């Protein structure tokens, strides 16, 4: 079929249909692949951010242990690893070194409720500070 297309001397638009279909399919595949990869990356980021002390973690280097401390400001965590005889060592890793974890992200509803509680606590603290300022002014 393609040899016939090359042999034809006419510039009919019908001869370009197979090429157009292939190009459209390739573009659709790349777009779908890109969107799928973004979703996976977002889900993994949420899971990594759910790591808390007590979570089991496997690093990209193959080190397995239990998280004992998480520092969200530095984006790091401390991993406790060792044997069953009580010989433990503690190592500090960047969160990007996590390969697998048993940490489960909080449901969206719980996160929304937590944010509301934090907002209420901040408002209460601001009100107390304003009351304190008013008392000092008097």
């Amino acid at each position: 079929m393609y040899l016939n297309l090359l042999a034809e001397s006419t510039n009919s638009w019908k001869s370009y249909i197979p090429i157009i279909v292939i190009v459209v399919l390739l573009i659709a595949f790349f777009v779908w692949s890109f969107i799928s990869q973004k979703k996976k990356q977002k889900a993994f980021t949420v899971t990594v951010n759910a790591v808390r002390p007590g979570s089991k973690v496997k690093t990209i280097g193959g080190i397995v242990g239990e998280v004992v401390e998480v520092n969200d400001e530095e984006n790091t965590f401390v991993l406790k690893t060792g044997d069953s005889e009580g010989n433990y060592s503690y190592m500090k890793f960047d969160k990007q070194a996590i390969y697998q974890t048993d940490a489960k992200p909080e449901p969206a509803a719980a996160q929304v409720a937590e944010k509301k509680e934090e907002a209420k606590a901040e408002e209460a603290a601001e009100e107390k500070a304003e009351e304190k300022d008013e008392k000092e002014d008097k």
Side-chain angles (χ1 to χ4, degrees):
M1 178 176 168
Y2 292 109
L3 294 175
N4 291 339
L5 289 175
L6 296 175
E8 290 181 16
S9 62
T10 62
N11 288 332
S12 173
W13 64 272
K14 292 180 182 179
S15 63
Y16 295 109
I17 289 177
I19 295 171
I20 292 170
V21 168
I22 291 172
V23 169
V24 167
L25 288 174
L26 282 173
I27 291 172
F29 173 74
F30 283 121
V31 168
W32 174 76
S33 177
F34 179 74
I35 291 171
S36 175
Q37 186 65 27
K38 281 286 199 182
K39 285 182 181 178
K40 286 180 184 178
Q41 182 65 34
K42 184 178 179 183
F44 186 72
T45 302
V46 168
T47 303
V48 166
N49 289 334
V51 171
R52 298 287 173 243
S55 300
K56 304 285 188 221
V57 169
K58 181 177 184 180
T59 67
I60 55 176
I63 299 171
V64 179
E66 181 179 337
V67 175
V68 292
E69 180 183 329
V70 176
N71 188 340
D72 289 327
E73 292 174 3
E74 293 182 4
N75 204 29
T76 60
F77 66 97
V78 176
L79 190 66
K80 174 183 166 183
T81 186
D83 59 14
S84 60
E85 297 175 6
N87 300 322
Y88 297 110
S89 62
Y90 297 89
M91 293 180 270
K92 189 174 187 178
F93 289 96
D94 188 64
K95 281 187 178 180
Q96 298 301 316
I98 295 175
Y99 178 66
Q100 286 178 325
T101 181
D102 66 349
K104 301 290 181 205
E106 295 179 14
Q111 290 176 349
V112 169
E114 184 177 300
K115 288 181 182 179
K116 286 181 181 179
E117 289 176 9
E118 289 176 3
K120 287 179 183 177
E122 288 177 10
E123 289 175 8
E126 288 175 5
E127 288 176 7
K128 286 181 183 179
E130 288 175 7
E131 289 175 6
K132 185 178 180 181
D133 289 340
E134 288 175 10
K135 287 180 182 178
E136 289 177 0
D137 290 339
K138 291 181 182 180

